[in-house]
Amino acid sequence: TAGWRGMNGAPKLVENVARRLDPGRVGAHLCCFEDSPRLRGLAGVCPVAVFPLHSVFSFQGTRQLFRFRNYLHAHRIQIVHAFMTKSAIFGVMAAAHSRCSAVVTSRLSTGYWYTPSKIRAFRLLNRYTSGILTNSQAARDLTIAVEHAAPDKVDVIYNGVDLAQYSPASGNA
């Protein structure tokens, strides 16, 4: 997404997760909708792939969905974790008929971006997810209430804080 170029929010979260995963235990792949220097910089950390699209519900979106499904199959990917709205819809649709054993999506806000069509899409696609991760109790409550997600599928994992940024040596104490 366009936000991948930013320094905060979900792109920073995804980058930090990719950098901190133990490659001896987890074979992570990072897939995005657009290329960027930041994404290319992660190529040494894990395989990266770009599936360019503007809308999931377009000819280009359908084409990229099949490309992504083939990517999942070719790399024997077992778990898909989609972080943002468009990637959640795209990821669930692609993984639904793949060999993935789990599909996890995230809700990283309290739904200010909800539109009636997105709510309908999530209500349908949540049936095909293994779990939904939120970063706050408010986001969890909203996901359950608005998306009609099963409460046992929705968990809260609070965003972490890198305390090294606030050490006396960093000048931020």
Side-chain angles (χ1 to χ4, degrees):
T1 64
W4 180 250
R5 292 187 180 116
M7 293 305 294
N8 295 311
K12 187 171 187 174
L13 172 66
V14 171
E15 180 178 0
N16 285 333
V17 169
R19 290 189 183 283
R20 288 184 167 96
L21 288 173
D22 179 354
R25 297 182 64 202
V26 178
H29 291 242
L30 183 55
C31 300
C32 292
F33 296 132
E34 67 180 43
D35 196 5
S36 72
R38 187 175 189 178
L39 178 64
R40 286 190 301 276
L42 289 171
V45 174
C46 64
V48 299
V50 178
F51 298 87
L53 68 92
H54 294 288
S55 171
V56 176
F57 303 107
S58 67
F59 176 76
Q60 179 191 30
T62 302
R63 188 170 163 261
Q64 295 303 332
L65 192 124
F66 284 108
R67 270 191 69 228
F68 184 58
R69 187 175 293 149
N70 289 336
Y71 183 90
L72 297 175
H73 177 71
H75 295 281
R76 297 181 176 168
I77 293 174
Q78 298 173 352
I79 301 169
V80 170
H81 183 177
F83 281 84
M84 301 301 291
T85 304
K86 184 172 28 172
S87 65
I89 293 168
F90 180 84
V92 173
M93 289 173 65
H97 298 289
S98 72
R99 295 180 181 159
C100 290
S101 58
V103 180
V104 178
T105 60
S106 293
R107 303 297 182 272
L108 304 175
S109 73
T110 53
Y112 57 87
W113 45 261
Y114 273 19
T115 63
S117 62
K118 285 187 175 121
I119 293 169
R120 284 190 301 275
F122 278 132
R123 286 179 180 172
L124 173 66
L125 295 173
N126 286 344
R127 299 175 194 166
Y128 303 98
T129 62
S130 306
I132 302 168
L133 300 178
T134 66
N135 61 355
S136 69
Q137 187 63 43
R140 180 183 188 275
D141 294 345
L142 187 87
T143 299
I144 292 166
V146 174
E147 296 181 26
H148 302 161
D152 62 332
K153 276 185 153 180
V154 187
D155 291 301
V156 177
I157 298 179
Y158 296 100
N159 291 336
V161 175
D162 182 1
L163 295 178
Q165 295 181 78
Y166 305 100
S167 69
S170 71
N172 292 322

